[in-house]
């Protein structure tokens, strides 16, 4: 460990900025207040090429994966160099508030020991969920969560996923599991309807509310952790076919029920006891007989106030889970009764035939206990049950009553408390499952979160620590079998040249604990001498001859642990006196009646015919652990290793020895070595050819050959060997494209024909992440070229189609315009023809009527003296008026018969302007007919020119008749003698 000591002495006080080209050996340059103190005792100059290599090294706090950390030295063995580099990298990242680091297939999570809410915001969860490649983002537990969710969401073959969260007590396992549950509640809820949204919200809320309830009843403050889980749990998040969370199920393992009656120094009982004492109201305290200032022997260190002592959060969570207020009051009454039970103490009796009596200060506590736990005053039966033991013996099962000693009374008292609390905890778990578990036909896959207690080694270790460490051994073996051993064995089977990495296999320790036919589990009820004599040949079993107390030592993968045999046999048998069970079954309390149904038989009352062995604590725990591992083997596991930087729980404090022991315990260095030297990406030949066969497009000179990238098509009867033979040329062509891809990625360096980062096995292609990224980049390049070709062809097709559509639209528009124009002209022509015919018809008719009436008019005798036509010429104004009438008669016709058009004053102005009438008063004009002037009796006697003019004048008067209403001088005009006869007027009436 000299190298670690040197590392400690030279550890930087500030954040290391990377390696200096002159860094000697494996040790960090000594820094004091941020300044380098020069080379150390290792001395020696490195080669120039190695100095250049190390000088270009990335700063340690920027390395997201520990597999990229260089050993930094060639003189020391790999393990020491890797340990030093890994420690320096983790320390640098921890000091830079970067708490998550990849280590191959494992995520290392450092406990920050301070609130970092920005790391667990819902927005950050959605960012990791929406990222195309979450592994490209910074390492986070959300990366692992998103990877498991996408694996379940795979449409090809959905496989159940599991996340194993391991680490020492206080390393942050509970917080990690809680954050992962919140992540799944956010990303696995995407309902489409409002009803589905409400249902999903209710399920998520219940799943999240199960955490504070289980932590209140199952977690406690220990020497290493203020919120240590004193039980193991496997949470199964159930997803439907749409990958929406429909429910969950919780399975618990080995509750540390002995903590109810026995707490180590400086430790506390379960959180719920402190919550009811600190958070209950005055009325509730009086109801539960918890007066202010009362002290309880089973409630040590009540003055310590923790974040977990929040009573209202627990009560609200219980309400959301369906536990109503009356049921909660019954639960808290029972818990208060257990606190009073802890104050019951017995005095040793001088007479062995007489039972032990209660101490004076414990009598009042006994009275309070009876009213809490029994619902009736049965003080004598309870006291008698604790003081007197009932024994059945003989074939007739005769009952004998034997007084118990003081130690036996205390044991029976503790057994009663442990029995009630264990039943209460199991009942709460069943209530939680009934509230959050979905119907079996409503979910198809699940994601499992395993949060178990970490490896424990205390000065005084007993059965609980043995079971806890046994569970950690099994999980470590699962990791070793799944990753370390299986990966290297696969390399050998595939024919790869691989030198095996030595790793710590804990199978020997498991054989010692659970092996057949002889193991600690099978001999745990025997004496210590029997264990040491039968298992003396095991290398994992040790003993300390100098120890005064009987004990044995087990060399675990995380280190040796001494277990004391005192009380180990009794704890394993966990005897429950049948009279205690019968007494609780007679209780009138509604909660106790549920916890202890009357039809239940005690395990201490086997039938006379059946001799079935009684289940012990170890046997039940072993069976449940085997069932758990069977579930894990059916899933794709993912690992999160929680590391505790220091045991004091201080932020920004990184103790190298403690971190090193945890790295050694979880086999992290071996994991890093295998991940760095191995090939984490493995693809079958068929899938590799199907996905990357298009890379040959980058090099047309490679002969395509007669084979197909899909040999299964049309050749289902071929043997696997024939298929592999068909694929080999294609695989070689694909792999030959890698040098060109490498040269394109890093121009200037000639690439080799076959990069060392990829190997073609017998059935699979093995490669590293960098090679996979190179292949994906080349595939994306080919797909981009194909996409450009497709886009070019599509754009060309779309342009041609649009051009044809445009030309067709132009032709259609021209045809429609031509048709509309012809139809309009036809309508105008038809209208003009109709008007023309009507006008001609009307003119002929008017001329005919005028001629007919003029022929029949009688001659009138005028009083004026006869005179010739030429002797009375018309005034100039009248002549102009008569000319306007003759010229503009169509205007009057149009204005008089128009339905719409010029109206009102505008019409008058138009008429006025068109006629060019004089502004003087028209009343001074007198219009006389030629008949009156000449005194002619018949029109035929008139000259021919006058006969032709007269109908026109008469027609003009008819035309101007509608205009008279708009002209102020119409009276003078109409008063003239230009009046038609009665027949003509009757014909001219409007119809």
């Amino acid at each position: 460990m000299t190298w670690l000591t040197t590392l400690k002495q030279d550890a930087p006080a500030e954040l290391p900025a990377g390696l200096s080209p002159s860094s000697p050996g494996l040790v960090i340059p000594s820094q004091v207040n941020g300044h380098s103190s020069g080379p150390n005792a290792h001395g020696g100059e490195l080669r120039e090429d190695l100095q250049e290599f190390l000088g270009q090294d990335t700063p340690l706090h920027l390395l997201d994966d520990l597999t990229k950390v260089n050993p930094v030295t060639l003189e020391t063995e790999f393990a020491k160099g890797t340990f030093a580099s890994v420690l320096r990298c983790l320390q640098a990242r921890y000091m830079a508030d970067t708490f998550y680091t990849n280590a191959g297939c494992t995520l290392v999570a450092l406990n920050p020991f301070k609130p970092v809410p920005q790391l667990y915001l819902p927005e950050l969860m959605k960012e990791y969920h929406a990222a195309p490649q979450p592994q490209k983002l910074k390492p986070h537990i959300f990366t692992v969560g998103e990877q498991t969710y996408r694996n379940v969401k795979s449409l090809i073959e959905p496989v159940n996923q599991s996340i194993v969260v391991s680490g020492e007590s206080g390393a942050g396992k509970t917080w990690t599991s809680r954050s992962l549950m919140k992540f799944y509640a956010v990303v696995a809820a995407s309902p489409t309807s409002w009803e589905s949204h409400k249902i999903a919200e209710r399920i998520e809320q219940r799943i999240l509310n199960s955490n504070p309830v289980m932590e209140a009843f199952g977690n406690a403050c220990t020497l290493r952790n203020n919120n240590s889980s004193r039980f193991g749990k496997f949470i199964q998040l159930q997803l439907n076919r749409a990958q929406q969370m429909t429910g969950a199920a919780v399975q618990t393992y080995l509750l540390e029920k002995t903590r109810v009656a026995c707490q180590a120094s400086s430790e506390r009982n379960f959180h719920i006891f402190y919550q009811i004492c600190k958070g209950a109201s005055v009325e509730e305290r009086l109801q539960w007989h918890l007066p202010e200032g009362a002290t309880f022997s089973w409630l040590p260190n009540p003055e310590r106030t923790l974040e977990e002592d929040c009573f209202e959060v627990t009560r609200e969570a219980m309400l959301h889970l369906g536990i109503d207020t009356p049921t909660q009051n019954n639960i808290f009454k029972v818990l208060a009764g257990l606190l009073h039970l802890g104050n019951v103490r017995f005095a040793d009796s001088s007479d062995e035939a007489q039972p032990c009596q209660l101490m004076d200060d414990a009598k009042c506590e006994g009275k309070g206990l009876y009213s809490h736990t029994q619902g009736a005053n049965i003080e004598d039966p309870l006291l008698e049950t604790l003081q007197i033991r009932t024994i059945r013996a003989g074939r007739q099962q005769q009952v004998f009553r034997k007084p118990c000693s003081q130690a036996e009374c205390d044991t029976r008292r503790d057994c009663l408390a442990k029995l009630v609390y264990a039943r209460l905890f199991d009942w709460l778990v069943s209530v939680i499952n009934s509230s959050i578990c979905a119907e079996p036909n409503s979910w198809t896959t699940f994601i499992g979160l395993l949060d178990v207690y970490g490896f424990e080694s205390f000065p005084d270790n007993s059965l609980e620590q043995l079971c806890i460490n046994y569970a950690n051994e099994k999980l470590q073996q699962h990791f070793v079998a799944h990753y370390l051993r299986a990966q290297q064995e696969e390399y050998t089977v595939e024919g790869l040249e691989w030198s095996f990495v030595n790793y710590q296999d804990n199978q020997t320790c498991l054989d010692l604990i659970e092996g057949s036919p002889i193991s600690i589990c099978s001999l745990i009820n025997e004496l210590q001498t029997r264990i040491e004599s039968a298992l003396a040949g095991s290398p994992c079993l040790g003993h300390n001859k100098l120890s005064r107390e009987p004990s044995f030592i087990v060399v675990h993968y995380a280190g040796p642990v001494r277990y004391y045999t005192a009380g180990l046999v009794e704890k394993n048998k966990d005897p429950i006196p049948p009279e205690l069970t019968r007494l609780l079954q007679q209780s009138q309390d509604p909660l106790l009646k549920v916890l202890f149904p009357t039809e239940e038989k005690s395990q201490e009352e086997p039938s006379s015919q059946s001799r079935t062995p009684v289940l012990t604590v170890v046997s039940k725990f072993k069976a449940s652990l085997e069932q758990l591992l069977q579930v894990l083997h059916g899933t794709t596991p993912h690992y999160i290793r929680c590391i505790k930087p220091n045991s004091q729980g201080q932020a920004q404090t990184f103790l190298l020895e403690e971190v090193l022991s945890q790295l050694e315990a979880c086999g992290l260095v071996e994991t890093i070595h295998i991940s760095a030297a191995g090939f984490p990406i493995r693809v079958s030949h068929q899938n590799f050819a199907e996905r990357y066969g298009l890379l040959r497009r980058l090099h047309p000179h490679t002969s395509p050959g007669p084979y197909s990238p899909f040999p299964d098509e049309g050749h289902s009867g071929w043997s696997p060997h024939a298929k592999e033979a068909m694929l080999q040329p294609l695989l070689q062509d694909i792999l030959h494209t890698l040098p060109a891809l490498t040269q394109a990625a890093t121009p200037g360096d000639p690439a080799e024909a076959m990069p060392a980062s990829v190997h073609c096995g017998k059935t699979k292609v093995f490669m590293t992440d960098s090679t996979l990224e190179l292949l994906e980049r080349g595939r994306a390049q080919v797909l981009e070229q194909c996409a450009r070709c497709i886009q070019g062809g599509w754009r060309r097709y779309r342009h041609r189609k649009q051009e044809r559509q445009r030309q067709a639209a132009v032709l259609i528009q021209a045809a429609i315009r031509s048709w509309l124009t012809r139809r309009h002209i036809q309508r105008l022509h038809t209208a003009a023809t109709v008007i023309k015919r009507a006008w001609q018809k009307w003119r002929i008719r008017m001329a005919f009527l005028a001629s007919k009436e003029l022929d029949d008019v009688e001659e009138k005798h005028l009083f004026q003296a006869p005179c010739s036509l030429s002797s009375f010429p018309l005034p100039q104004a009248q002549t102009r008026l008569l000319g306007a009438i003759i010229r503009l008669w169509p205007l009057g016709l149009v204005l008089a018969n128009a339905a719409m058009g010029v109206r009102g004053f505008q019409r008058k102005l138009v008429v006025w302007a068109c006629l060019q009438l004089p502004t003087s008063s028209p009343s001074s004009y007198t219009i006389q007919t030629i008949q009156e002037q000449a005194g002619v009796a018949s029109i035929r006697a008139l000259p021919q020119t006058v006969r032709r003019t007269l109908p026109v004048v008469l027609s003009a008067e008819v035309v101007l008749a509608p205009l008279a209403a708009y002209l102020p001088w119409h009276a003078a005009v109409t008063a003239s003698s230009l009046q038609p006869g009665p027949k003509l007027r009757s014909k001219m009436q409007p119809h």
Side-chain angles (χ1 to χ4, degrees):
M1 296 297 293
T2 55
W3 61 275
L4 178 61
T5 305
T6 308
L7 177 60
K8 274 192 58 182
Q9 295 174 353
D10 297 337
E14 299 291 333
L15 176 67
L19 297 176
S20 171
S22 60
S23 301
L26 91 121
V27 186
I28 304 175
S30 301
Q31 291 189 5
V32 180
N33 296 328
H35 299 283
S36 178
S37 60
N40 55 13
H42 274 277
E45 294 295 333
L46 299 179
R47 298 192 308 269
E48 294 182 0
D49 55 346
L50 184 58
Q51 289 183 0
E52 182 181 359
F53 169 72
L54 294 177
Q56 297 175 356
D57 207 3
T58 306
L60 291 178
H61 68 282
L62 298 180
L63 294 176
D64 292 338
D65 198 327
L66 294 178
T67 59
K68 301 177 182 179
V69 177
N70 292 318
V72 194
T73 180
L74 299 179
E75 289 80 4
T76 59
E77 59 179 299
F78 173 80
K80 295 180 180 180
T82 303
F83 266 131
S85 302
V86 168
L87 284 174
R88 292 171 54 233
C89 181
L90 291 177
Q91 183 184 28
R93 293 176 65 81
Y94 185 74
M95 294 302 177
D97 286 345
T98 305
F99 307 110
Y100 295 108
T101 308
N102 291 323
C105 66
T106 305
L107 178 69
V108 178
L110 295 171
N111 194 337
F113 290 122
K114 64 179 180 180
V116 278
Q118 65 274 13
L119 280 181
Y120 309 99
L121 295 175
E123 294 77 9
L124 189 62
M125 299 179 185
K126 296 178 181 178
E127 179 182 352
Y128 276 85
H129 178 57
Q133 293 181 324
Q135 63 273 14
K136 296 294 184 181
L137 301 178
K138 292 184 178 180
H140 204 287
I141 56 175
F142 298 157
T143 308
V144 181
E146 181 61 24
Q147 183 180 358
T148 58
Y149 184 70
R150 295 192 181 187
N151 290 350
V152 170
K153 201 174 180 180
S154 174
L155 300 179
I156 301 176
E157 186 180 356
V159 180
N160 296 327
Q161 306 290 307
S162 62
I163 300 178
V164 180
V165 184
S166 61
E168 283 192 0
S169 179
K173 301 185 301 297
T174 301
W175 175 264
T176 300
S177 301
R178 188 190 310 168
S179 301
L180 285 172
M181 290 181 66
K182 292 181 180 179
F183 174 79
Y184 289 122
V186 171
V187 304
S190 56
T192 55
S193 63
W194 177 253
E195 292 79 7
S196 301
H197 180 70
K198 286 296 183 182
I199 295 174
E201 278 189 347
R202 185 172 68 252
I203 293 173
E204 296 162 17
Q205 191 63 34
R206 288 183 177 180
I207 293 175
L208 295 179
N209 283 325
S210 64
N211 272 330
V213 176
M214 298 190 69
E215 289 181 12
F217 286 85
N219 290 20
C221 177
T222 63
L223 293 174
R224 297 185 176 183
N225 186 9
N226 291 339
N227 190 30
S228 176
S229 298
R230 306 320 300 163
F231 69 102
K233 62 177 178 291
F234 181 69
I235 304 174
Q236 195 179 68
L237 303 178
Q238 300 160 347
L239 306 176
N240 58 13
R241 296 185 182 276
Q243 286 74 47
Q244 298 175 2
M245 191 183 301
T246 60
V250 180
Q251 185 176 359
T252 59
Y253 303 93
L254 192 66
L255 174 69
E256 190 188 15
K257 57 185 179 181
T258 57
R259 183 170 290 271
V260 177
C262 181
Q263 304 85 30
S265 178
S266 301
E267 291 191 355
R268 300 203 319 173
N269 210 326
F270 291 103
H271 292 323
I272 188 62
F273 293 105
Y274 299 89
Q275 291 181 4
I276 62 175
C277 291
K278 296 181 180 181
S281 62
V282 178
E283 294 78 7
E284 291 172 338
R285 294 176 66 90
L286 293 176
Q287 180 184 359
W288 302 335
H289 295 276
L290 296 174
E292 192 73 31
T295 59
F296 300 96
S297 60
W298 287 354
L299 201 68
N301 303 313
E303 69 281 353
R304 295 184 60 182
T305 301
L306 303 178
E307 182 183 355
E308 290 75 19
D309 297 341
C310 189
F311 191 40
E312 290 302 323
V313 174
T314 303
R315 301 189 72 167
E316 184 178 357
M318 295 174 73
L319 283 176
H320 283 290
L321 292 173
I323 305 176
D324 53 15
T325 303
T327 305
Q328 292 184 26
N329 290 331
N330 291 334
I331 293 174
F332 302 141
K333 283 173 57 179
V334 171
L335 294 176
L338 295 182
L339 290 179
H340 285 284
L341 181 62
N343 288 349
V344 174
R345 293 183 295 171
F346 296 91
D348 198 1
S349 176
S350 58
D351 188 0
E352 294 182 358
Q354 298 296 325
C356 298
Q357 300 298 321
L358 289 176
M359 290 187 177
D360 295 337
D361 57 350
K363 293 182 179 179
C364 60
E365 298 291 345
K367 294 181 179 179
L369 169 66
Y370 310 140
S371 61
H372 276 79
T373 59
Q374 305 302 319
N377 188 8
I378 52 174
E379 175 179 354
D380 293 338
L382 178 58
L383 183 60
E384 182 180 345
T385 303
L386 296 179
Q387 294 173 328
I388 300 177
R389 182 174 56 177
T390 303
I391 302 175
R392 296 179 181 270
R395 295 182 178 179
Q396 286 75 24
Q397 293 291 308
Q398 295 180 357
V399 178
F400 299 93
R401 298 167 59 86
K402 178 184 178 182
C404 299
S405 63
Q406 179 186 2
E408 291 176 339
C409 290
D410 293 341
T411 301
R412 294 168 72 87
R413 175 202 62 197
D414 297 347
C415 181
L416 176 63
K418 293 187 292 183
L419 176 62
V420 172
Y421 193 83
R423 290 289 184 93
L424 176 60
F425 184 81
D426 293 339
W427 177 79
L428 281 174
V429 173
S430 65
V431 170
I432 291 174
N433 283 330
S434 63
S435 176
I436 65 178
C437 190
E439 295 294 332
N441 57 354
S442 64
W443 60 278
T444 56
T445 55
F446 70 86
I447 299 175
L449 297 178
L450 180 60
D451 177 15
V452 295
Y453 9 61
F455 184 83
E456 292 184 353
S457 177
F458 300 114
D460 187 4
N461 302 288
S462 187
L463 183 66
E464 293 81 12
Q465 282 70 41
L466 179 61
C467 293
I468 289 173
N469 295 337
Y470 170 47
N472 281 272
E473 290 282 356
K474 294 288 287 185
L475 293 176
Q476 178 66 15
Q477 178 65 19
H478 176 266
F479 172 74
V480 168
H482 179 266
Y483 187 76
L484 299 181
R485 183 193 303 131
Q487 189 174 104
Q488 298 192 85
E489 289 178 353
E490 186 178 11
Y491 294 158
T492 305
V493 171
E494 290 290 334
L496 273 69
E497 295 181 0
W498 174 263
S499 58
F500 270 78
V501 177
N502 295 325
Y503 58 89
Q504 184 179 3
D505 193 350
N506 62 338
Q507 186 59 48
T508 306
C509 183
L510 282 176
D511 293 339
L512 172 66
I513 298 176
E514 63 173 7
S516 178
I518 301 176
S519 62
I520 292 179
C521 291
S522 62
L523 300 177
I524 196 170
N525 293 332
E526 305 290 338
L527 297 177
Q528 176 190 2
T529 56
R530 170 69 172 155
I531 295 177
E532 291 181 353
S533 61
L535 302 175
S538 175
C540 293
L541 180 67
H543 60 277
N544 187 1
K545 297 181 179 180
L546 301 178
S547 177
R548 298 181 179 179
E549 298 181 8
S551 62
F552 60 92
I553 298 176
V554 176
V555 182
H556 292 281
Y557 74 96
V561 179
R562 175 183 297 172
Y563 300 98
Y564 292 93
T565 58
L568 198 66
V569 175
E570 290 298 323
K571 287 183 179 181
N572 183 43
K573 291 182 178 180
D574 193 20
I576 301 175
E579 54 268 24
L580 287 179
T581 305
R582 287 194 297 267
L583 179 67
L584 293 172
Q585 289 174 348
Q586 297 172 4
S587 174
Q588 300 302 316
D589 185 83
L591 180 60
L592 291 178
K593 291 176 68 175
V594 174
L595 299 180
F596 299 92
T598 56
E599 63 273 7
E600 180 184 27
K601 286 187 177 182
S602 174
Q603 70 173 14
E604 297 292 330
E605 296 180 313
S607 61
S608 57
Q609 291 81 10
S610 176
R611 292 296 181 182
T612 305
V614 179
L615 292 177
T616 61
V617 172
V618 172
S619 61
K620 290 188 291 186
F621 181 71
K622 181 180 179 182
S624 62
L625 197 58
E626 291 294 340
Q627 182 182 4
L628 171 64
L629 290 175
Q630 186 177 1
V631 174
L632 291 180
H633 282 304
T635 64
T636 300
H638 305 263
Y639 303 95
I640 298 178
R641 300 289 192 180
C642 297
I643 302 297
K644 184 168 57 174
N646 59 86
S647 57
Q648 291 77 26
Q650 299 178 357
Q652 297 294 313
T653 302
F654 193 90
L655 300 182
L656 298 176
E657 294 98 333
E658 296 186 11
V659 176
L660 175 62
S661 63
Q662 297 174 68
L663 295 179
E664 290 176 335
C666 64
L668 189 62
V669 174
E670 292 85 353
T671 303
I672 296 172
H673 188 188
I674 295 176
S675 300
F679 306 94
I681 309 300
R682 303 154 194 177
V683 186
S684 65
H685 289 174
Q686 179 71 26
N687 295 337
F688 186 84
E690 291 178 0
R691 183 168 183 84
Y692 301 111
L694 48 80
L695 290 178
R696 296 186 301 160
R697 293 175 176 267
L698 295 175
H699 303 279
H701 61 274
T702 58
S703 59
Y707 45 83
S708 169
F710 309 101
D712 290 343
E713 299 178 1
H715 305 282
S716 57
W718 286 13
S719 63
H721 181 72
K723 293 180 181 179
E724 291 296 331
M726 288 289 296
L727 284 173
Q728 285 301 322
L730 177 60
L731 294 175
Q732 295 301 323
D733 285 348
I734 297 174
L735 295 178
H736 286 160
T737 62
L738 284 175
L741 292 175
T742 306
Q743 188 174 5
T746 57
D749 295 333
E752 299 179 359
M754 177 69 69
S757 57
V758 60
H759 287 277
C760 186
K762 296 180 180 179
T763 61
K764 296 180 181 179
V765 176
F766 296 82
M767 52 187 160
T768 61
D769 291 329
S770 59
T771 305
L772 177 65
E773 184 177 355
L774 195 65
L775 291 172
E776 288 295 327
R777 188 183 299 115
R779 183 174 181 269
Q781 181 181 353
V782 174
L783 291 178
E784 183 179 0
Q785 294 177 358
C786 296
R788 288 179 178 176
C789 294
I790 295 174
Q791 290 176 356
W794 165 250
R795 290 192 183 101
R796 182 168 56 253
Y797 164 77
R798 187 177 59 179
H799 177 73
R800 292 177 179 177
K801 182 178 179 181
Q802 290 177 350
E803 183 64 23
R804 290 195 299 267
Q805 290 177 348
R806 189 188 65 82
Q807 294 177 0
V810 171
L811 292 177
I812 293 173
Q813 290 176 357
I816 291 177
R817 290 192 186 100
S818 176
W819 178 78
L820 291 175
T821 303
R822 288 196 304 270
R823 191 179 67 168
H824 180 65
I825 293 175
Q826 290 175 359
R827 287 182 178 179
L828 293 178
H829 180 71
T830 303
T833 304
V834 171
I835 294 173
K836 180 179 179 181
R837 290 177 180 175
W839 161 245
Q840 291 176 352
K841 182 178 179 181
W842 181 82
R843 186 181 62 178
I844 294 173
R845 182 177 179 141
M846 290 298 103
F848 172 76
L849 291 177
S851 300
K852 185 177 180 181
E853 184 167 339
L854 289 177
D855 289 341
D856 296 338
V857 71
E858 295 180 357
E859 296 181 356
K860 296 182 180 180
H861 299 280
L862 302 175
F863 295 100
Q864 293 84 355
C867 60
S868 61
L869 181 63
S870 59
S871 61
F872 295 96
L874 291 175
Q876 184 178 2
Q878 294 183 2
T879 304
R880 293 175 56 189
L881 175 61
L882 187 59
I885 291 174
I886 294 173
R887 290 195 311 270
L888 301 176
W889 66 266
L891 178 62
L893 180 62
V894 173
L895 293 179
N897 296 278
M900 298 179 61
V902 183
R903 298 284 183 179
F905 184 68
Q906 291 182 351
R907 176 178 288 199
K908 295 180 182 180
L909 291 178
V910 171
V911 174
W912 193 291
C914 293
L915 296 180
Q916 300 180 359
L917 297 177
T919 57
S920 60
S921 176
S923 60
S924 60
Y925 302 122
T926 301
I927 302 176
Q928 295 180 347
T929 61
I930 302 178
Q931 293 174 343
E932 295 175 337
Q933 294 173 358
V936 180
S938 176
I939 191 173
R940 299 184 185 277
L942 295 177
Q944 187 70 21
T945 57
V946 177
R947 293 181 60 186
R948 294 179 179 177
T949 307
L950 185 57
V952 178
V953 175
L954 294 176
S955 300
E957 194 275 341
V958 174
V959 172
L960 289 179
L963 296 178
Y966 303 99
L967 299 177
W969 37 266
H970 67 279
V973 177
T974 55
S976 64
S977 58
L978 294 176
Q979 295 289 343
K983 293 183 179 181
L984 182 59
R985 285 198 302 270
S986 64
K987 298 295 183 180
M988 293 173 58
Q989 291 297 327
H991 298 283

